[in-house]
């Protein structure tokens, strides 16, 4: 296949480039580097089957030659990034998805949308199943991301129903691993960097909110299987092992051997407005349809991630 990956210089996009190249495919990574970095793909420079194009995908996407699959991963993804880049986030979810779908239609390519557990908002159903419509505040600060992704899902379904584009929608739950930006503000790099520097681990609120963390290689396997499957309705991919953020802080301390204290902070900015109180994927569908489930334990995944960050703090 010849695969075009928007957001290909980001955390997840760059791991997807690696995986598709390793499977023998040709990869075009398209990115405007707003939150990504060429450092994530520099090891691929000069490869025969790899091409990087710097482009803002909210503008018309031109690609010469055939394209067999479009994976739309461009979008700020960390709450800090999308709170600082609200208009760009809305534009890439709306206009960027439209352009990426237009390319897939033109090239008769498969299309895979990177959606998110944030479409469930602050969920009232737990764990979250794909048939849950969510509890999103459209006018809150997180609305720029959540609603952009909900629009992107609606647009993807419209291209499938109206234009017959062969689409996939993955709802990704918190995923972590090497190549996350140390300062991207998400809890995994934040706590690891704080622990390695001996600084306090900043637990927002009371720390009783929960998340379920998936290691990047497991996610990539799920994406690969979903793209090759015939499943056209949204599919959750994530690791169902749920924990409180306070327990997560304690785990990071234990795995790094850090003596950092844990502090409870109430950020004065918008970071914890509408912060989902619980989050856990129901992955029955991925198990059934894709034969997929996560393999990497939280301890193993975090150890690999900590090693990556150790040389960078
Ligand atoms: P990231 O910030 O590392 O990657 C996003 C990439 O998109 C960056 O390289 C950025 O420069 C690029 N980008 C943004 N706007 C663009 C534009 N207009 N044109 C071209 N490129 C643009 O984040 P990530 O964690 O790798 O997330 C990738 C995708 O996965 C996002 O769509 C995100 O919503 C989705 N997702 C990620 C997670 C997660 O836990 N990592 C969870 C749910 C969904
Ligand atoms: N969080 C925290 N301290 C931090 C960063 C995040 O307690 O320094 C919390 C945040 O309030 C949320 C959870 O960790 O409840 C996960 O946040 P993240 O930014 O990683 O992503 P989200 O799951 O909210 O999209």
């Amino acid at each position: 296949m010849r695969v075009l990956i928007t957001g290909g210089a980001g955390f997840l996009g760059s791991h997807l480039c690696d995986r598709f190249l390793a499977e023998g495919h040709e990869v075009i990574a398209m990115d405007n580097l707003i939150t990504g970095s060429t450092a994530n793909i520099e090891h691929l420079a000069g490869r025969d089957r790899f091409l990087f194009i710097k482009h803002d995908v909210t503008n018309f996407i031109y690609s010469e030659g055939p394209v067999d699959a479009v994976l739309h991963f461009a979008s700020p993804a960390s709450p800090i990034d999308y709170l600082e880049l609200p208009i760009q986030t809305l534009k890439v979810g709306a206009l960027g998805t439209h352009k990426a779908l237009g390319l897939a239609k033109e090239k008769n390519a498969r299309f895979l949308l990177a959606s998110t557990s944030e479409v469930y908002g602050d969920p009232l159903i737990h764990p979250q199943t794909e048939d849950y419509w969510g509890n999103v505040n459209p006018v809150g600060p997180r609305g720029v991301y959540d609603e952009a992704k909900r629009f992107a899902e609606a647009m993807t379904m419209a291209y499938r129903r109206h234009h017959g584009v062969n689409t996939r929608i993955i709802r990704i739950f918190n995923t972590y691993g090497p190549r996350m930006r140390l300062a991207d503000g998400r809890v995994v790099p934040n706590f690891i960097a704080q622990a390695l520097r001996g600084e306090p681990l900043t637990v927002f609120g009371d720390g009783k909110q929960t998340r379920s963390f998936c290691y990047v290689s497991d996610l990539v396997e799920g994406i690969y299987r979903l793209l090759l499957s015939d499943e056209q309705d949204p599919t959750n991919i994530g690791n169902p092992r749920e924990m409180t953020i306070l327990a997560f802080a304690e785990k990071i301390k234990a795995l790094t051997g850090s003596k950092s204290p844990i502090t409870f902070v109430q950020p004065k900015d918008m970071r914890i407005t509408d912060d989902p109180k619980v989050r856990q994927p129901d992955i029955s569908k991925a198990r059934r349809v894709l034969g997929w489930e996560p393999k990497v334990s939280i301890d193993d995944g975090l150890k690999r991630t900590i090693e990556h960050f150790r040389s960078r703090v």
Side-chain angles (χ1 to χ4, degrees):
M1 285 193 291
R2 194 156 185 262
V3 180
L4 187 142
I5 303 174
T6 76
F11 160 50
L12 296 180
S14 64
H15 284 283
L16 284 172
C17 291
D18 289 347
R19 174 65 188 264
F20 278 87
L21 287 168
E23 297 284 348
H25 304 296
E26 196 175 328
V27 172
I28 306 164
M30 190 170 272
D31 202 299
N32 68 350
L33 305 177
I34 193 170
T35 58
S37 166
T38 51
N40 290 332
I41 47 169
E42 67 187 354
H43 59 288
L44 303 177
R47 289 255 200 122
D48 284 353
R49 288 179 285 109
F50 181 72
L51 177 67
F52 172 68
I53 300 175
K54 186 163 185 253
H55 180 65
D56 178 343
V57 300
T58 63
N59 299 310
F60 184 83
I61 303 172
Y62 175 76
S63 182
E64 229 166 74
V67 175
D68 303 299
V70 177
L71 287 86
H72 182 40
F73 276 70
S75 170
S78 151
I80 289 204
D81 287 340
Y82 58 74
L83 293 173
E84 282 174 0
L85 301 165
I87 313 288
Q88 288 94 330
T89 302
L90 282 158
K91 282 178 74 177
V92 75
L95 306 178
T97 304
H98 182 222
K99 300 296 177 281
L101 278 162
L103 177 73
K105 174 170 161 263
E106 167 70 22
K107 303 283 183 182
N108 204 11
R110 278 183 188 212
F111 177 86
L112 183 144
L113 172 70
S115 186
T116 167
S117 52
E118 281 279 330
V119 300
Y120 301 122
D122 187 5
L124 305 176
I125 298 282
H126 193 70
Q128 292 77 55
T129 42
E130 288 91 348
D131 56 5
Y132 178 47
W133 292 351
N135 177 38
V136 171
N137 173 5
V139 294
R142 281 180 180 254
V144 299
Y145 181 69
D146 302 9
E147 295 296 6
K149 291 289 187 182
R150 289 166 68 96
F151 177 93
E153 289 198 5
M155 180 67 99
T156 301
M157 295 305 282
Y159 264 68
R160 167 185 157 189
R161 293 190 182 114
H162 194 70
H163 289 311
V165 175
N166 189 357
T167 61
R168 308 282 180 275
I169 297 175
I170 175 175
R171 293 191 180 142
I172 302 170
F173 284 65
N174 296 65
T175 299
Y176 69 96
R179 299 192 197 147
M180 291 184 101
R181 258 162 47 235
L182 195 58
D184 94 353
R186 286 183 271 196
V187 70
V188 176
N190 261 20
F191 282 0
I192 294 178
Q194 289 163 343
L196 294 178
R197 290 180 180 134
E199 295 168 357
L201 273 64
T202 54
V203 169
F204 296 167
D206 60 11
K208 291 194 181 126
Q209 69 273 37
T210 69
R211 292 295 186 271
S212 310
F213 297 100
C214 182
Y215 189 66
V216 61
S217 60
D218 281 332
L219 179 83
V220 165
E221 179 64 30
I223 294 168
Y224 197 76
R225 288 188 189 203
L226 181 62
L227 182 73
L228 297 187
S229 79
D230 291 325
E231 182 53 45
Q232 300 221 332
D233 290 326
T235 305
N236 289 339
I237 300 280
N239 190 321
R241 190 188 188 292
E242 184 187 19
M243 66 177 86
T244 66
I245 291 300
L246 179 57
F248 185 64
E250 279 156 359
K251 182 167 279 299
I252 297 288
K253 275 192 63 170
L255 291 175
T256 51
S258 170
K259 298 207 167 36
S260 293
I262 292 175
T263 54
F264 293 89
V265 298
Q266 309 294 333
K268 296 214 175 4
D269 54 28
M270 299 182 297
R271 272 178 292 174
I272 57 171
T273 309
D274 301 332
D275 194 5
K277 287 183 268 309
V278 289
R279 184 180 290 159
Q280 182 189 34
D282 181 318
I283 58 163
S284 318
K285 183 179 169 187
R287 281 198 173 104
R288 191 179 66 249
V289 177
L290 308 177
W292 176 89
E293 62 180 1
K295 298 267 186 284
V296 181
S297 71
I298 185 84
D299 284 27
D300 283 351
L302 284 174
K303 281 183 201 153
R304 293 181 212 174
T305 310
I306 290 164
E307 278 327 299
H308 168 82
F309 281 130
R310 213 178 269 286
S311 57
R312 289 170 173 80
V313 292

